[in-house]
Amino acid sequence: MSGLWLMLVIVLGVGFIVFATAKLKLHPFLSLLFAAFLVGLLAGLPLNEIVEAVNGGFGGLMGYIGIVIVAGTIIGTILEKSGAALRMAEVVLRLVGEKRPQLAMSLIGAIVSIPVFCDSGYVILSSLKKALAKRAKVALASMAVALATGLYATHTLVPPTPGPIAAAGNIGASDYLGTIILIGIIVAIPTIIAGYLWAVKVASKIEIEGEGDNDLDYDEIVKSFGELPSSFKSFAPIVLPIVLIGIGSVVNFFQWTGGFAEILLFLGSPVVALLVGVLVSFALMPKFNEETLNGWVGQGIKDAATILLITGAGGAFGSVIKATPVAEIIQGIADGGLLQGALLLLIPFIVAALLKSAQGSSTAALVITSSLIAPLLPQMGIEGAIPLALVVMAIGAGAMTVSHVNDSYFWVVTQFSGMKVTDAYKAQTAATLVQGLTALVVSLILWIILV
């Protein structure tokens, strides 16, 4: 089979995914599975090999990160329902100060969105944002964009958010999750700042109709949630797993041995660390009964189901691509010197950005792009913790670029802030473009410095 036909087949497969999800409104799970079989058939793979690749890709990826995704969403649900997310918001507001309300909202969003989906995080914090805008006498659109971009940055860049975890699993970087978290935080910081500056400089000039009628009171909103959990209990389910994974990564990096090192490696494995986070989050429950232990946890599992299915189908799609001779073609391109150095990161960024802009979902863009490029990475000499972490960052940067009318998050931001669509394009869509490009530039710089 000619290399040109094979590349065309893969392009057709990706085109089918975009068309099916964006135009036909088919669920990404089925779009990815159908595309996997389509690519396998058009590439001329034996029929039994296609089935084996689909089953192996789906099951293999679930074995790596399935439990991690479920545990992360359970933690997020408990943080949301217990009021811990609001407690974290209060703590950040006290530390930053009410004189910098937009910065406070950006940081609040960035922290909350690590375990909580950005859509849910925005809804949870929306009333708080409006009350703080009134109290600080700043434009509501400015506060809306500051919160939205803060949530968006960590949603696409920092595990244990499902998208970055799925991307890491797809490219074989599950063992480097600690490094990915660290690099993700480093890349996220200037990305958050870029969103904050856009909120202050651009969004602050946008007036939302009726914002002067805002009668929400910050103190009353906080009181309406009843007694909030303590700051320690609120932050622990997020911080403890990240610390454990980080310690495990350090032990693995220095190759320490012995009984104590084995315990640290055990606790630092992503599955164990996130399950520890789940256990710690139980302390946030007002009482142990069927509503909390079954209802709250069950809601978290339901929230995880869609991500698991899309992630598994993405693994199947990637597995079929790996079964084709595409790796040999990429090797030839790499040997020709066309793909070298930091510019390698442009490939996953562009693919993810095209997918994001076409079909709307950042998580789907992360999953599909990582599945698509996974076979390419060994051929391009990309291996090891830091290079693979930066590939995840490049995919995440692309998955931010851009949020517009086919993205549910775009509508969450516009509807809960009251912005007109034309204003939302100037404020939110343009801000996500700035954030995506910022994340890419930072990733390129880190590649030049560290790789």
Side-chain angles (χ1 to χ4, degrees):
M1 175 176 293
S2 70
L4 181 61
W5 169 246
L6 185 57
M7 297 304 290
L8 179 60
V9 165
I10 293 173
V11 170
L12 285 172
V14 175
F16 171 80
I17 294 169
V18 173
F19 176 76
T21 53
K23 296 296 182 183
L24 301 181
K25 306 303 180 185
L26 184 65
H27 195 281
F29 169 68
L30 289 179
S31 299
L32 283 161
L33 275 186
F34 291 156
F37 281 100
L38 178 67
V39 169
L41 290 169
L42 292 179
L45 293 176
L47 298 181
N48 65 321
E49 192 173 330
I50 296 173
V51 174
E52 289 174 3
V54 168
N55 287 333
F58 189 98
L61 189 56
M62 286 299 96
Y64 273 109
I65 47 88
I67 297 174
V68 173
I69 290 176
V70 173
T73 52
I74 290 173
I75 291 171
T77 301
I78 294 174
L79 288 173
E80 176 185 338
K81 292 184 175 295
S82 66
L86 279 174
R87 172 63 75 190
M88 290 189 287
E90 270 203 303
V91 171
V92 173
L93 187 59
R94 285 201 304 267
L95 291 174
V96 175
E98 292 185 19
K99 292 182 179 179
R100 294 179 288 274
Q102 293 100 327
L103 180 59
M105 291 312 301
S106 292
L107 294 176
I108 288 167
I111 294 170
V112 169
S113 196
I114 291 176
V116 179
F117 291 107
C118 58
D119 304 64
S120 300
Y122 195 93
V123 173
I124 295 166
L125 298 168
S126 181
S127 57
L128 199 69
K129 165 209 70 187
K130 290 181 180 179
L132 189 56
K134 177 185 176 184
R135 186 163 170 170
K137 297 180 180 179
V138 297
L140 181 56
S142 179
M143 293 291 282
V145 173
L147 174 60
T149 53
L151 288 160
Y152 201 48
T154 50
H155 176 76
T156 55
L157 296 172
V158 184
T161 308
I165 286 181
N170 274 333
I171 66 172
S174 298
D175 293 338
Y176 307 129
L177 209 54
T179 303
I180 295 171
I181 290 172
L182 177 61
I183 296 292
I185 292 171
I186 293 172
V187 175
I189 290 171
T191 306
I192 294 164
I193 293 172
Y196 159 71
L197 292 175
W198 191 266
V200 172
K201 302 296 183 182
V202 178
S204 59
K205 298 175 184 177
I206 295 173
E207 184 175 345
I208 294 176
E209 186 177 349
E211 68 176 284
D213 302 329
N214 178 9
D215 59 355
L216 294 173
D217 181 81
Y218 176 82
D219 294 322
E220 289 297 322
I221 288 171
V222 174
K223 287 178 183 177
S224 69
F225 283 88
E227 186 177 353
L228 297 177
S230 69
S231 301
F232 178 80
K233 285 183 179 180
S234 299
F235 280 95
I238 304 176
V239 175
L240 184 57
I242 291 175
V243 171
L244 289 175
I245 292 171
I247 292 172
S249 297
V250 171
V251 173
N252 190 51
F253 178 79
F254 288 104
Q255 297 184 335
W256 292 335
T257 57
F260 186 60
E262 288 183 11
I263 293 173
L264 292 178
L265 285 172
F266 171 75
L267 293 173
S269 63
V271 170
V272 175
L274 267 295
L275 287 176
V276 169
V278 170
L279 290 174
V280 171
S281 71
F282 284 176
L284 293 168
M285 294 178 174
K287 50 189 174 180
F288 295 136
N289 57 16
E290 186 176 358
E291 180 189 355
T292 55
L293 292 174
N294 192 299
W296 290 13
V297 172
Q299 185 60 52
I301 294 172
K302 288 179 184 177
D303 291 343
T306 300
I307 303 299
L308 287 173
L309 289 173
I310 294 173
T311 301
F317 180 64
S319 182
V320 170
I321 293 174
K322 289 178 186 177
T324 70
V326 68
E328 299 171 13
I329 299 170
I330 298 301
Q331 178 67 59
I333 297 173
D335 290 342
L338 296 178
L339 303 172
Q340 290 183 348
L343 293 179
L344 292 170
L345 297 182
L346 292 178
I347 298 172
F349 172 80
I350 292 171
V351 172
L354 290 173
L355 285 168
K356 166 64 179 176
S357 298
Q359 52 79 44
S361 168
S362 293
T363 301
L366 278 154
V367 171
I368 297 168
T369 303
S370 54
S371 302
L372 191 65
I373 69 162
L376 283 58
L377 301 179
Q379 308 303 326
M380 295 189 293
I382 299 178
E383 55 187 12
I386 292 177
L388 289 176
L390 290 172
V391 169
V392 174
M393 294 304 104
I395 299 172
M400 302 177 83
T401 317
V402 292
S403 175
H404 61 100
V405 290
N406 63 358
D407 181 6
S408 62
Y409 188 52
F410 175 87
W411 292 110
V412 168
V413 174
T414 54
Q415 296 304 308
F416 278 85
S417 66
M419 271 191 283
K420 297 177 182 176
V421 173
T422 50
D423 288 334
Y425 266 116
K426 299 173 190 174
Q428 174 66 7
T429 302
T432 60
L433 173 62
V434 171
Q435 283 193 296
L437 293 175
T438 300
L440 173 64
V441 170
V442 175
S443 299
L444 291 171
I445 294 170
L446 289 174
W447 181 284
I448 293 169
I449 295 171
L450 301 175
V451 178

